[in-house]
Amino acid sequence: MGSVHHDLAGEPTFEPMIQIDMEIRTFVSAWRHCDYVSTYMARMISQNRSDSVRHSNLFSSAFNELLEIAFRTRHADGELACRVSRHGATDRIELTFPCVPEERQFYEEAVSQVTGYEARERYLNSVSGDLAPSREVVLLELAVDYNATLRVEEADGDAITLIVDLPLEGLQH
């Protein structure tokens, strides 16, 4: 069993695995880019998991949802950066994309409300309604169904980074 490395803040060190960058204009030019990128990344990182097919399917689904959030940005310029790193059973997705200030505020508020019992209740209420999935429901789904932890960090320029830790290897359902 290997040793666990921690960074200076006490957080485990995630080892980088793969990164894809592209202009946001190119990314949002076609909806199918979300599926292509999520499928490619899932296949690349799942090959050494205990059930690689299951891991790839779960990762691709979760990552595709995140990419669809970035796809809806109203900011026309900048870069999309998709980075995946790993620490044990947890894969970390860091998705950096440009957004306008109102979107940044929305993500900060939405991510702050995806933990605890209330998050599960809000998620169940949202999926039982007739409304189409919103960006907030997608974030709730990741937290409730995938047991993900999420946070938002400011990035350079008019961009944010959504950081999502997915413990898929240990996920029971």
Side-chain angles (χ1 to χ4, degrees):
M1 176 179 253
S3 62
V4 175
H5 302 280
H6 292 81
D7 69 8
L8 295 176
E11 180 177 291
T13 302
F14 282 77
E15 299 296 329
M17 298 184 67
I18 189 169
Q19 181 168 341
I20 294 177
D21 297 347
M22 65 175 44
E23 290 183 7
I24 195 71
R25 187 182 313 265
T26 301
F27 178 68
V28 299
S29 68
W31 181 256
R32 65 181 183 267
H33 288 148
C34 297
D35 184 48
Y36 293 161
V37 171
S38 62
T39 300
Y40 177 78
M41 297 283 266
R43 289 183 178 169
M44 295 305 293
I45 68 148
S46 299
Q47 61 184 336
N48 62 351
R49 289 301 198 183
S50 60
D51 185 343
S52 61
V53 173
R54 176 183 180 269
H55 188 273
S56 179
N57 286 336
L58 290 171
F59 185 89
S60 177
S61 178
F63 195 34
N64 190 54
E65 296 289 337
L66 288 169
L67 289 171
E68 289 179 12
I69 287 174
F71 186 84
R72 297 178 194 280
T73 185
R74 292 181 299 181
H75 201 294
D77 295 314
E79 295 281 324
L80 171 72
C82 310
R83 182 182 340 179
V84 178
S85 53
R86 177 171 290 164
H87 175 76
T90 302
D91 294 318
R92 173 172 283 175
I93 299 170
E94 295 175 65
L95 190 62
T96 302
F97 57 96
C99 64
V100 298
E102 295 81 20
E103 291 172 313
R104 176 187 315 251
Q105 183 177 357
F106 166 80
Y107 289 118
E108 290 170 349
E109 290 174 8
V111 167
S112 73
Q113 299 177 14
V114 298
T115 59
Y117 181 77
E118 298 84 21
R120 176 173 288 285
E121 288 298 314
R122 289 183 32 244
Y123 176 63
L124 293 175
N125 288 334
S126 69
V127 296
S128 64
D130 294 332
L131 299 174
S134 69
R135 295 174 298 177
E136 182 181 10
V137 172
V138 168
L139 298 174
L140 283 167
E141 178 184 24
L142 291 172
V144 173
D145 286 347
Y146 292 83
N147 200 25
T149 56
L150 298 93
R151 70 177 194 260
V152 176
E153 291 184 355
E154 287 194 34
D156 292 337
D158 296 331
I160 62 168
T161 300
L162 277 175
I163 301 171
V164 180
D165 290 346
L166 292 166
L168 298 178
E169 187 75 354
L171 200 60
Q172 296 301 310
H173 57 275

